[in-house]
């Protein structure tokens, strides 16, 4: 079965990508599989300047999930371009840069720097910064801000597709999706983590130094499916499904709703070789359930009348 | 890291363990039951499958000619089994073991055939004071040698305090919670002496005590 996908200006040999922040820059997982088996790698969130990230403890395990408050620790875009990207250059895999900034201007600047790199196949804009200069609300929760940030990146992205990664921590994900499309988004990816919390009754402390943190893993899949479902029906821009994917069946659920591709996050921690075999497993499963092709299967959900 | 296949999605991460010994065909681990994951590991039966990835990170320094003191607190004894087995000059090694559960729980006796050894049990606050005192004495004795420490964080902090006092070279093995084990998630970091976060899973778990915050 042909597993190639092409959507919103991004072409990949299969619909499996790894989610930003959960796969390092790919090289960390290279001992456990062939990176070229993946459709794409979304690199760890990058900012203009290096970021130290949040204090420890930063992660906690929860039933069917985990909380993280890493705080976009990263060495900065220049370091990434000189020291990390070159080792991915020879690999036949789409590398997507994940952008993180705290105002539209900075997002644009970062976008311009990354868009100039041949090896970068697309820009993924992470609009969940909690410390926005203007207004104080998180980007990801304010449709006007989403439009503004998307426009700022799109303007300077040249021919690179711009993928906007939406937060589920909103009352109306569809208006956020429309806002990104209004700003010129070529692709939407969803979802980022849900805001969660965990406490220890004995020490009487939160399990994460930051107190609240992002919930990911199998626990969030139903929320992710709902978001992808609503957005696929509301906008014409292609969607990438993210959230709790830990099997080929999980991945096909997102495709069935209309997603063109999926990203694997927390499942990379459950088995470091998981993402590498996912496309092959999806292909087998499609055959098993009698689908003609991936293309044909996509979005074929039958809804009650 | 190991993660039994039977865990399904309810336990997400693998769990990190020291390699006691490995010979290509088998892998030996000492595991203490402390919570959800280790309890489920204890229930595994012969024939059950587990996903294992590693070896990850570094190990303790081996300096064959240097008198070396191993300080093990509780299950912190685990990495020393392999260390002793692989050390070319075990006559230079001494193992000090502080524990709460009966000594037999730790396979201690299987490790002490070739090295000098001493163990102390902690059952009340006085025992703890005696252990701390003894650690001070031993660390001073080995101040020109090499000292390796693995155990609960307070145990390692005590060792570090004495090592700094006596100018001894000390390595500690950190026990941060791990998400991925391969350096990707940045969940296990600690601060180094340059006030920078470094991954314990790949840059450690063993660090020189003066180069890391405990
Ligand atoms: C490099 C390294 C080597 C280790 N080697 C061994 C070994 O050889 N043998 C052994 O028995 N244990 C070892 N540990 C500790 C072991 O990984 C933890 O005991 C285990 O992960 C706890 O899992 P759990 O699901 O049972 O605990 P959870 O249910 O997750 O937690 C229960 C309790 O254990 C504590 N805990 C959880 N994870 C850790 C951790 N990583 N370190 C310390 N406390 C923790 C929690 O704070 C909590 O109080 C090692 C840890 C590291 C980082
Ligand atoms: C440890 C960790 C770090 C993450 N870092 C980022 C990041 O830098 N940028 C980003 O857009 N998303 C980040 N995410 C969110 C994931 O990319 C993904 O959207 C989320 O984990 C949901 O997918 P999952 O359930 O498959 O993990 C991170 C998630 C985790 C668990
Ligand atoms: S456990 Fe993920 S970086 Fe160390």
């Amino acid at each position: 079965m042909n597993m190639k996908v092409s959507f919103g200006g991004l072409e990949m040999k299969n619909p499996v990508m790894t989610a930003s922040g959960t796969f390092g820059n790919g090289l960390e997982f290279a001992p456990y599989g062939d990176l070229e088996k993946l459709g794409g790698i979304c690199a760890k969130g990058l900012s203009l300047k290096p970021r130290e990230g949040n204090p420890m403890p930063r992660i906690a395990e929860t039933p069917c999930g985990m909380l993280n408050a890493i705080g976009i620790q990263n060495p900065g875009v220049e370091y990434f371009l000189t020291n990390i990207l070159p080792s991915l250059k020879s690999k036949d895999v789409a590398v997507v840069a994940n952008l993180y900034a705290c105002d539209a201007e900075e997002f644009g600047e970062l976008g311009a720097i990354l868009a100039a790199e041949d090896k970068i196949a697309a820009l993924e804009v992470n609009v969940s910064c909690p410390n926005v200069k203007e207004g104080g609300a998180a980007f990801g929760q304010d449709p006007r801000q989403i439009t503004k940030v998307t426009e700022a990146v799109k303007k300077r992205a040249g021919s690179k597709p711009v993928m906007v990664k939406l937060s589920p921590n909103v009352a109306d994900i569809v208006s956020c999706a429309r806002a990104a499309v209004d700003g010129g988004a070529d692709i939407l990816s969803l979802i980022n983590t849900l805001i969660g919390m965990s406490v220890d009754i004995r020490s009487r402390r939160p399990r994460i130094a930051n107190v609240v943190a992002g919930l990911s893993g199998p626990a969030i899949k139903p929320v992710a499916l709902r978001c992808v479902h609503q957005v696929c029906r509301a906008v014409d821009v292609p969607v990438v499904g993210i959230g709790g994917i830990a099997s080929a069946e999980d991945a096909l659920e997102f495709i069935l709703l209309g997603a063109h591709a999926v990203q694997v996050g927390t499942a990379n921690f459950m088995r470091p070789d998981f993402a590498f075999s996912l496309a092959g497993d999806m292909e087998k499963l499609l055959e098993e359930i009698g689908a003609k092709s991936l293309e044909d299967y996509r979005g074929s959900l039958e809804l009650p009348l | 890291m190991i993660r039994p296949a039977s865990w399904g999605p309810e336990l997400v991460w693998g769990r990190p363990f020291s390699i006691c010994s490995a010979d290509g065909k088998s892998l030996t681990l000492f595991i203490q039951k402390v919570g959800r994951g280790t309890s489920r590991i204890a229930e595994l039966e012969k024939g059950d499958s587990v996903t294992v990835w590693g070896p990850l990170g570094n190990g303790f320094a081996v300096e064959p000619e240097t008198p070396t003191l191993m300080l093990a607190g509780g299950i912190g004894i685990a990495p020393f089994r392999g260390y002793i087995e692989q050390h070319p000059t075990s006559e230079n090694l001494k193992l000090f073991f502080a524990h709460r559960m009966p000594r037999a729980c730790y396979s201690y006796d299987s490790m002490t055939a070739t090295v000098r050894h001493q163990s102390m049990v902690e059952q009340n606050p006085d025992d703890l004071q005696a252990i701390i005192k003894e650690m001070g004495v031993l660390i001073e004795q080995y101040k020109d040698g090499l000292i390796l420490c693995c155990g609960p964080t307070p145990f390692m902090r005590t060792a570090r305090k004495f090592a700094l006092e006596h100018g001894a070279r000390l390595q500690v093995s950190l026990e941060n919670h791990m998400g991925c084990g391969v350096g990707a998630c940045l969940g296990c970091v600690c601060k180094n002496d340059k006030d920078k976060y470094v991954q314990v899973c790949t840059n450690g778990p063993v660090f020189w005590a003066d180069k890391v915050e405990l």
Side-chain angles (χ1 to χ4, degrees), chain A residues 59, chain B residues 177-189 199-202:
Chain A
I59 54 173
Chain B
H177 292 213
M178 310 263 158
C180 65
V182 302
C185 72
L186 305 177
C188 67
V189 297
Q199 291 101 311
V200 172
C201 62
T202 45

Side-chain angles (χ1 to χ4, degrees), chain A residues 19-21 44-45 68 72 98 126 165 191-192 216-217 242-244 265-266:
Chain A
S20 178
K44 171 72 192 162
N68 93 80
I72 322 279
N98 181 275
N126 178 4
K165 182 165 176 179
I191 55 176
N192 212 315
S216 64
I242 320 167
T266 301

Side-chain angles (χ1 to χ4, degrees), chain B:
Chain B
M1 300 276 279
I2 76 171
R3 187 174 179 283
S6 59
W7 280 3
E10 72 268 25
L11 290 175
V12 169
W13 300 332
R15 297 295 192 267
F17 298 102
S18 319
I19 298 171
C20 280
S21 55
D23 61 10
K25 275 197 251 124
S26 66
L27 178 67
T28 307
L29 309 173
F30 285 167
I31 297 181
Q32 181 171 23
K33 231 161 84 167
V34 299
R36 300 197 298 161
T38 44
S39 303
R40 296 277 303 273
I41 288 172
E43 288 164 10
L44 290 174
E45 290 184 17
K46 205 171 165 180
D48 289 348
S49 69
V50 292
T51 305
V52 179
W53 58 105
L56 306 164
N58 62 1
F60 286 117
V62 179
E63 296 177 5
E65 305 312 322
T66 312
T68 301
L69 172 67
M70 299 171 277
L71 300 171
I75 195 64
I77 197 165
F80 293 120
R81 158 107 167 241
Y83 186 83
I84 293 169
E85 278 175 11
Q86 295 195 349
H87 201 278
T89 43
S90 57
E91 61 275 19
N92 281 338
L93 299 180
K94 163 146 186 173
L95 176 64
F96 173 78
F97 180 42
H99 58 99
R100 283 198 184 127
M101 288 195 295
R103 213 169 76 173
C105 297
Y106 301 94
S107 303
Y108 176 76
D109 296 334
S110 72
M111 294 168 53
T112 48
T114 57
V115 298
R116 271 168 294 150
H117 54 93
Q118 175 184 352
S119 72
M120 288 174 82
V121 68
E122 180 198 332
Q123 274 157 351
N124 56 51
D126 285 349
D127 292 341
L128 179 61
Q129 287 316 309
I131 289 170
I132 293 173
K133 197 161 160 244
E134 186 61 17
M135 280 169 79
V137 171
L138 286 168
I139 289 170
E140 185 171 13
Q141 272 174 20
Y142 279 81
K143 69 179 192 300
D144 300 319
L146 173 65
I147 306 173
L148 314 173
C149 183
C150 183
T153 306
F155 182 79
M156 293 195 289
R157 284 204 188 109
T158 303
R160 181 159 77 164
K161 184 180 117 281
F162 286 125
L164 292 177
E165 240 170 73
H166 297 296
R169 290 189 310 138
L170 170 72
Q171 289 194 326
V172 287
S173 179
L174 267 48
E175 272 221 357
N176 295 17
H177 292 213
M178 310 263 158
C180 65
V182 302
C185 72
L186 305 177
C188 67
V189 297
C190 65
K191 281 231 166 136
N192 69 8
D193 58 329
K194 300 195 178 67
D195 209 29
K196 287 260 174 308
Y197 282 121
V198 291
Q199 291 101 311
V200 172
C201 62
T202 45
N203 297 83
V206 174
F207 294 91
W208 289 102
D210 56 345
K211 297 268 188 291
V212 70
E213 259 179 38
L214 268 179

